[in-house]
Amino acid sequence: MRLNTLLLTLCLAGCGTQDRYEMDSGYAAGNGENEVAKRVSGTWLLSTDYHYRDRCNYLPEEFVKNLFQLGEDVELTKYTGLNDCELRWGNNRVGFYLESDKPFESTFQSEYYFNKLFQPEANKATAQNNPRKPVLFGQAPQGTNSEVPASLTTTSPEQDSTRGADPSGQIEGMTQAAPPITTPAKNTATGVAVNDVGDKAIWEPAKKRLHVLYNNHVFSVGAQMPGDQAKIKQGCIGLAKLVINSLNDNTD
């Protein structure tokens, strides 16, 4: 009897250890990889623990050849740095450059960093408009209704739970809509604002490089090669949009 009890105890202890290992490693019941099992739904773009993929994965060779019309006979060589990758042929190159080894903790920080590098006047204007509030911590609460006294936001008996007797009327005490999280890009002494790329983008003609802010990511793409400046710019815009789509793809 004692022997059976001892064996049962050892079995339970061993099984418990195995179960704990499977839960910790993410292989419980054989479901998926350990990294996938530990991810929390809805935090992909917000997670500062997520590190970017191999930099050259953002520069597929065939896509780059077609985008910049290089021809099938061109031999591309990859050069990978800590936060960048370049495809080179002769003295020419197409590159992708990250400004950090992982996403910023918030869009406010990424925009501040973007402005500091590529649009410094924007940070100066924000500091002047909000002298008591550093731009790293986000915008003033105007537009969130937090600055309106409670007495002004109390609805009258005639009002329903939304807009009162007049469905098209304005809610009593409602402030103006909050501005967008990021301010639009503007032309600088060295760059030209580009629309419809990420949250904001600036093209530097002298460097043939496009700088992009997208959520909590800051990156650049560039092409050092001969040819029409407008075509090179459009090629960089197309490559930047590919990078944005890749950042949205969480299957890796």
Side-chain angles (χ1 to χ4, degrees):
M1 185 65 180
R2 292 181 178 177
L3 179 59
N4 291 338
T5 302
L6 178 60
L7 291 175
L8 179 60
T9 302
L10 292 175
C11 180
L12 290 175
C15 292
T17 302
Q18 179 66 20
D19 290 342
R20 286 194 300 271
Y21 167 75
E22 290 178 348
M23 291 176 66
D24 291 341
S25 62
Y27 283 95
N31 292 328
E33 301 174 354
N34 55 343
E35 293 298 327
V36 175
K38 290 182 180 181
R39 289 175 186 162
V40 180
S41 176
T43 63
W44 179 261
L45 286 179
L46 299 178
S47 173
T48 56
D49 293 330
Y50 166 66
H51 286 260
Y52 294 110
R53 295 185 282 141
D54 179 10
R55 307 305 181 255
C56 282
N57 284 352
Y58 295 97
L59 293 178
E61 292 188 29
E62 290 302 319
F63 184 87
V64 170
K65 284 184 177 181
N66 292 333
L67 190 63
F68 292 94
Q69 302 177 358
L70 302 182
E72 291 296 328
D73 297 333
V74 174
E75 294 288 338
L76 300 178
T77 305
K78 293 181 179 180
Y79 289 84
T80 305
L82 180 62
N83 286 319
D84 59 76
C85 174
E86 292 183 338
L87 298 179
R88 302 179 186 177
W89 68 105
N91 295 324
N92 310 308
R93 67 190 66 190
V94 172
F96 165 65
Y97 313 90
L98 281 162
E99 296 299 337
S100 60
D101 59 358
K102 60 183 180 180
F104 290 86
E105 293 183 2
S106 72
T107 303
F108 299 118
Q109 290 186 352
S110 59
E111 183 181 26
Y112 177 84
Y113 193 83
F114 178 92
N115 290 343
K116 181 179 179 181
L117 293 178
F118 312 120
Q119 197 179 358
E121 294 300 321
N123 282 348
K124 293 179 182 178
T126 304
Q128 291 174 356
N129 294 334
N130 301 281
R132 297 182 180 180
K133 193 165 190 143
V135 293
L136 280 178
F137 299 99
Q139 299 174 353
Q142 182 180 5
T144 62
N145 212 30
S146 61
E147 73 276 20
V148 180
S151 60
L152 296 181
T153 59
T154 303
T155 58
S156 63
E158 291 78 13
Q159 289 178 313
D160 62 11
S161 60
T162 54
R163 295 183 181 273
D166 182 6
S168 63
Q170 185 174 351
I171 300 176
E172 183 180 0
M174 177 63 70
T175 60
Q176 294 181 352
I181 293 179
T182 60
T183 58
K186 295 183 179 180
N187 296 341
T188 67
T190 58
V192 180
V194 177
N195 298 324
D196 301 324
V197 180
D199 292 310
K200 66 168 65 176
I202 292 180
W203 167 254
E204 279 197 82
K207 296 183 179 180
K208 296 181 181 179
R209 188 173 290 194
L210 180 69
H211 310 294
V212 180
L213 167 69
Y214 172 66
N215 285 346
N216 45 349
H217 313 283
V218 179
F219 66 90
S220 302
V221 294
Q224 299 297 319
M225 56 184 292
D228 181 66
Q229 176 86 216
K231 291 183 178 180
I232 294 176
K233 177 183 176 181
Q234 288 303 315
C236 289
I237 290 175
L239 185 54
K241 290 183 177 181
L242 173 69
V243 171
I244 290 174
N245 289 334
S246 300
L247 292 172
N248 281 328
D249 182 7
N250 60 4
T251 57
D252 260 6

